[in-house]
Amino acid sequence: MFKRILIANRGEIAVRIIRACRELGIECVSVYSTADKDSIHINLSDRSICIGPPPSNKSYLNINNIISAAVVTKCDAIHPGYGFLAENPKLEESCNENDLTFIGPPADIISLAGNKSKAIKVMKAHKIPVIPGSEGNIESINDALRFAKKIGYPVIIKASFGGGGKGMRICKNKKDLRSSFPLAKSESKSSFGIGEVYLEKYISKPRHIEFQIIADNFGNITCVGERECSIQRRHQKLLEEAPATNLSVKTRKTMQEFALRAARSINYKNLGTIEFLLDENEKFYFIEINTRIQVEHPVTEMVTGLDLIKEQINIASGKNIAHLPKNIKVNGHAMEFRINAEDPDNNFSPNSGKIINCFLPGGPGIRIDTYIHSNYSISPFYDSLLAKLVVWGNTRQEAISRSIRALNEFKIDGIKTTIPFHKKILNSDLYKSGNIHTHFIEEELGI
Ligand code: ADP
């Protein structure tokens, strides 16, 4: 087992990883930018090192500084968390060159998954259902028009190296496609460094359902259930659940088998997520593989009793997954609410500033993953996630009423947050019925 791990991240996920390390008896080294000098992850770790000024590209994305911090503090391994460098194969390669273990899959798997159009091609070759589309990148507008004619409108243009719900454009017709195609290419270049795009049929009102995979370094792979992430705004997840609602036993089982097949087909290692869209006829399609811990991992932890960060660390240190039951038992229902520093009444604009006072809910079935506290100033430099309210109930109904109770207790004074917005979702009868899809927010709440 590792003696000391460097955590190459900040915010709630840095705190979450420190907690897992502590329970495993592993020392923690934190890194921080000057904007985060008063952040709680620094206090909770054994040692911390400043890796640069506030802009991410000079600190949390600076591989040289992070590797140097790990080397001088004599760490054995680096945990990347999510975001920042978590899906950058260069961090894994630099770890190898410096005798450090990267807690995640090898660089070749990260690279393949990061190139979404390539990953889709590989999945298709392994007979995993994919959305009708261009099978690789599209170079010219003429090719785009030809493919769109073949698969039928509406279509969606997606950035091959995109992520975080960004870099997608929906085209209802030929005219939309003509105007959007060059824009999508240049946006993809400016946001993700590479201007490659591909085309897919746009599925109307799909559900986003993803499967958590755990694989050790000895060829053992298991799936520990699914998460429903259909409550989204602008293709970004806001509220996640486990297990998925209104999913037939047969479809769940088949999707799980395909998720395992997807992972096996690329010899997957460590933790990963296989994402699918499910249409109104319960037909499902692979969309992508995420090679890191997901923001929404706690809902899986709440219904399985597993600690997924510990699993990541154990696997990276060379342990097998023999202790995991072959068929994981899902107990009750869990929900995660992303509490963001955004103003729901003002187009969700980011809201930095000082938290004058905060009160975190508690009681049965409540878990809060956060780094905020009273008198903490939220920096404008990083993403807006303040806290994750994770709620467990014996049934979905109990989880919903407990969530309403917890959201009513939750107080963050001084900045605007998404707490009132989550209350609106929970008040919807449609949401309570479980008939949700990725357009729920705009159709039901008109946002
Ligand atoms: P990212 O990696 O940026 O999160 P994904 O490919 O995982 O991108 O897609 C994010 C979300 O975008 C999905 O959950 C879904 O809501 C929407 N989406 C993506 N592809 C399609 C599609 N072909 N049809 C309809 N919605 C889609």
Side-chain angles (χ1 to χ4, degrees):
M1 181 45 81
F2 306 121
K3 188 170 173 290
R4 192 173 299 139
I5 291 179
L6 179 132
I7 297 148
N9 218 299
R10 66 177 298 281
E12 70 82 23
I13 194 64
V15 174
R16 170 71 189 90
I17 298 164
I18 292 169
R19 287 179 172 151
C21 289
R22 288 274 175 249
E23 290 179 23
L24 288 170
I26 299 171
E27 292 173 24
C28 312
V29 176
S30 284
V31 293
Y32 64 97
S33 74
T34 49
D36 276 341
K37 64 179 176 24
D38 299 320
S39 221
I40 200 86
H41 72 282
I42 300 172
N43 298 343
L44 292 177
S45 48
D46 297 284
R47 230 183 124 171
S48 55
I49 295 209
C50 180
I51 45 162
S56 307
N57 61 347
K58 299 214 161 82
S59 50
Y60 297 105
L61 291 173
N62 186 327
I63 295 182
N64 285 342
N65 287 6
I66 288 170
I67 294 282
S68 304
V71 170
V72 295
T73 53
K74 298 194 170 49
C75 287
D76 318 293
I78 294 187
H79 196 306
Y82 55 70
F84 295 126
L85 294 168
E87 286 164 295
N88 186 331
K90 289 193 188 121
L91 179 63
E92 198 270 354
E93 284 160 0
S94 300
C95 282
N96 281 340
E97 286 157 15
N98 288 278
D99 248 353
L100 293 157
T101 302
F102 174 80
I103 301 176
D108 58 337
I109 293 179
I110 302 175
S111 299
L112 171 64
N115 185 341
K116 294 181 12 167
S117 61
K118 196 169 163 197
I120 289 169
K121 249 184 167 171
V122 172
M123 292 304 135
K124 197 174 176 203
H126 285 90
K127 305 217 165 2
I128 294 173
V130 300
I131 300 175
S134 60
E135 279 182 46
N137 300 320
I138 295 226
E139 302 300 337
S140 70
I141 179 68
N142 284 340
D143 283 348
L145 289 165
R146 199 157 41 82
F147 273 111
K149 195 172 172 199
K150 199 168 131 198
I151 59 181
Y153 289 92
V155 295
I156 180 167
I157 312 172
K158 295 171 86 169
S160 297
F161 292 87
K166 297 187 187 104
M168 292 180 235
R169 274 173 179 255
I170 301 156
C171 308
K172 292 200 190 85
N173 50 40
K174 220 163 141 178
K175 192 168 158 252
D176 280 356
L177 183 55
R178 272 191 196 283
S179 57
S180 295
F181 187 77
L183 293 173
K185 264 181 103 63
S186 63
E187 263 169 26
S188 163
K189 173 99 182 114
S190 60
S191 304
F192 308 109
I194 301 174
E196 290 175 359
V197 297
Y198 63 105
L199 209 75
E200 266 177 8
K201 173 93 186 153
Y202 187 69
I203 313 282
S204 71
K205 296 195 186 177
R207 292 166 63 186
H208 175 121
I209 298 180
E210 58 183 37
F211 287 77
Q212 179 68 60
I213 296 294
I214 305 186
D216 64 21
N217 297 336
F218 310 99
N220 305 303
I221 301 189
T222 190
C223 176
V224 295
E226 82 282 355
R227 295 182 283 260
E228 162 115 38
C229 311
S230 303
I231 301 294
Q232 305 180 352
R233 184 180 166 269
R234 297 194 175 160
H235 308 304
Q236 285 176 323
K237 300 165 188 168
L238 281 169
L239 194 178
E240 300 93 348
E241 303 184 32
T245 62
N246 299 348
L247 188 62
S248 71
V249 175
K250 186 166 166 260
T251 305
R252 172 176 288 118
K253 191 164 171 275
T254 316
M255 289 179 86
Q256 182 156 324
E257 279 163 10
F258 275 105
L260 281 166
R261 186 194 289 190
R264 284 199 192 100
S265 74
I266 56 168
N267 206 6
Y268 199 84
K269 303 262 176 344
N270 211 288
L271 263 68
T273 299
I274 314 292
E275 295 190 335
F276 294 102
L277 291 186
L278 182 73
D279 73 13
E280 290 169 295
N281 304 314
E282 285 220 342
K283 251 187 111 181
F284 60 88
Y285 312 88
F286 165 90
I287 47 170
E288 67 165 339
I289 304 174
N290 286 319
T291 56
R292 55 174 151 82
I293 192 78
Q294 301 271 103
V295 175
E296 58 272 21
H297 76 275
V299 289
T300 301
E301 295 185 325
M302 296 292 263
V303 295
T304 60
L306 294 171
D307 182 320
L308 295 179
I309 306 282
K310 284 187 191 166
E311 296 297 336
Q312 285 190 299
I313 296 172
N314 282 333
I315 291 166
S317 77
K319 292 199 171 157
N320 64 33
I321 55 168
H323 61 284
L324 294 178
K326 233 182 155 41
N327 290 310
I328 207 92
K329 201 179 156 332
V330 170
N331 178 28
H333 199 92
M335 299 181 156
E336 177 187 274
F337 301 84
R338 298 192 190 199
I339 312 297
N340 296 335
E342 290 168 0
D343 182 358
D345 294 329
N346 190 10
N347 205 22
F348 290 79
S349 60
N351 213 263
S352 55
K354 190 169 180 167
I355 296 174
I356 298 162
N357 189 34
C358 88
F359 178 81
L360 307 179
I366 305 292
R367 161 176 167 181
I368 310 262
D369 282 17
T370 191
Y371 69 110
I372 62 162
H373 51 81
S374 297
N375 288 320
Y376 181 75
S377 288
I378 303 299
S379 157
F381 291 100
Y382 311 112
D383 79 34
S384 60
L385 183 66
L386 297 176
K388 302 187 310 205
L389 166 65
V390 190
V391 180
W392 181 89
N394 282 295
T395 58
R396 185 170 186 264
Q397 213 179 351
E398 187 181 49
I400 290 176
S401 45
R402 190 167 270 167
S403 300
I404 295 171
R405 186 270 287 168
L407 286 163
N408 283 333
E409 286 176 19
F410 211 146
K411 295 276 174 292
I412 301 179
D413 298 332
I415 53 169
K416 303 269 189 208
T417 75
T418 47
I419 293 174
F421 179 69
H422 285 302
K423 289 190 204 170
K424 272 192 197 160
I425 297 174
L426 294 182
N427 274 328
S428 145
D429 288 336
L430 194 61
Y431 179 76
K432 285 182 193 146
S433 74
N435 286 319
I436 51 179
H437 51 77
T438 59
H439 296 280
F440 172 89
I441 302 269
E442 61 196 80
E443 286 187 10
E444 179 72 357
L445 304 182
I447 294 165

